[in-house]
Amino acid sequence: DQQVKQNSPSLSVQEGRISILNCDYTNSMFDYFLWYKKYPAEGPTFLISISSIKDKNEDGRFTVFLNKSAKHLSLHIVPSQPGDSAVYFCAASGSGGSYIPTFGRGTSLIVHP
Amino acid sequence: GAGVSQSPRYKVAKRGQDVALRCDPISGHVSLFWYQQALGQGPEFLTYFQNEAQLDKSGLPSDRFFAERPEGSVSTLKIQRTQQEDSAVYLCASSLVFGLRETQYFGPGTRLLVL
C-alpha cells in the first residue's frame, strides 16, 4: 500500500505559467516532507522541504504548501522554465519513527518553450 | 567538491550471476543509504549505514542482497544469484549525519538489467 501518492504521472505546462505538482500521504506519523527533482541519468537532487509545523515554505520560484488535515502537499513553480522539465518526487518521513524518507512514484513535468 | 559516485553505471547480468555495485559517498558523510528504483516507481529504501555500522536493513528484499561499508566510507551492495525482478536502478545517497532534516545527496545510480 503506497503511503505517498503522486497521482499524476505527467504534467505539461507552458513556459512562464505556473506548474502545480500534487502529493498525498496516508501515514499520520509523517511530519517532514521533501521534494526532489530528477533529470534523466542523474540521481534525485533535493529541491525544497517543509516541516509539519508550517503550512508554506518558499525558495525562489518554488513554494511548497502543506495541508495536514487533508494529508496533502503541493509544489508550485512560478514562473515555469524549460530547465524545470524533470521528474519530481515527493517524499515524507517521520520523527516519530523512521527518518528514512518514503518516496512517491514521481510526476514528469514538461515545460514547453 | 565531488558528489556521490557509483560504479558501474550500467550492468547487464545473466540470471543466476552475482553482481557487486559500488558507492563512493561524499567525503566525511557519516550516513549512507541504498535505494532500489524499479521502472516507473520512486526510490525504495533498502538499507542504511552510520559509519561502518549497518543500522537498518529492513528494506532488503531477500537474503540474496547484502551490503557492507567496512571502513565507513565506500559501500558495496552485492546481489547473489540475480533474478529478473532485481532489474532496477540502484541509488546510493549520503548525508553528513543522520537526522530528520538532513539532506541526502544521491549518486547517479547503477542501472542493473538481469536477462
Side-chain angles (χ1 to χ4, degrees):
Chain A
D1 184 34
Q2 273 200 301
Q3 298 188 66
V4 177
K5 300 178 184 179
Q6 294 178 257
N7 291 321
S8 297
S10 64
L11 176 67
S12 182
V13 170
Q14 202 68 30
E15 180 179 7
R17 308 292 279 266
I18 184 171
S19 295
I20 300 176
L21 297 94
N22 294 303
C23 178
D24 297 290
Y25 62 97
T26 57
N27 190 338
S28 58
M29 296 298 289
F30 289 146
D31 56 11
Y32 191 66
F33 305 90
L34 312 95
W35 284 93
Y36 281 84
K37 175 179 178 179
K38 184 183 182 305
Y39 292 118
E42 295 183 12
T45 56
F46 170 76
L47 190 57
I48 192 169
S49 63
I50 187 166
S51 166
S52 60
I53 62 172
K54 294 185 172 183
D55 55 17
K56 176 183 174 181
N57 189 25
E58 196 170 348
D59 183 1
R61 297 185 296 113
F62 302 90
T63 303
V64 56
F65 295 91
L66 175 63
N67 182 334
K68 289 188 292 292
S69 61
K71 294 190 176 69
H72 176 84
L73 62 155
S74 60
L75 174 68
H76 293 211
I77 306 173
V78 184
S80 301
Q81 299 174 354
D84 296 330
S85 298
V87 177
Y88 289 79
F89 291 100
C90 171
S93 59
S95 57
S98 171
Y99 288 176
I100 295 163
T102 299
F103 286 81
R105 291 184 177 180
T107 296
S108 177
L109 173 66
I110 299 172
V111 180
H112 297 282
Chain B
V4 178
S5 61
Q6 293 186 245
S7 61
R9 292 294 309 274
Y10 303 92
K11 176 70 179 177
V12 179
K14 292 182 179 177
R15 191 159 55 102
Q17 187 179 349
D18 296 349
V19 298
L21 313 179
R22 176 187 169 109
C23 172
D24 284 83
I26 294 172
S27 178
H29 276 198
V30 167
S31 301
L32 185 146
F33 305 81
W34 283 99
Y35 293 86
Q36 180 190 60
Q37 185 178 11
L39 192 63
Q41 306 292 318
E44 290 196 7
F45 169 75
L46 292 177
T47 186
Y48 150 69
F49 291 85
Q50 188 159 308
N51 294 307
E52 69 278 2
Q54 188 175 20
L55 297 187
D56 188 339
K57 53 181 181 178
S58 61
L60 295 177
S62 77
D63 58 8
R64 296 185 296 104
F65 287 71
F66 172 77
E68 60 183 4
R69 194 186 185 197
E71 296 178 0
S73 56
V74 171
S75 177
T76 304
L77 175 67
K78 297 179 180 177
I79 310 174
Q80 297 176 323
R81 305 180 304 281
T82 52
Q83 304 294 313
Q84 285 185 320
E85 62 262 28
D86 299 335
S87 296
V89 175
Y90 290 85
L91 293 164
C92 175
S94 70
S95 63
L96 188 58
V97 293
F98 182 62
L100 183 63
R101 290 168 179 73
E102 284 301 315
T103 299
Q104 293 190 17
Y105 297 87
F106 282 83
T110 294
R111 183 175 295 275
L112 173 66
L113 177 62
V114 182
L115 301 176

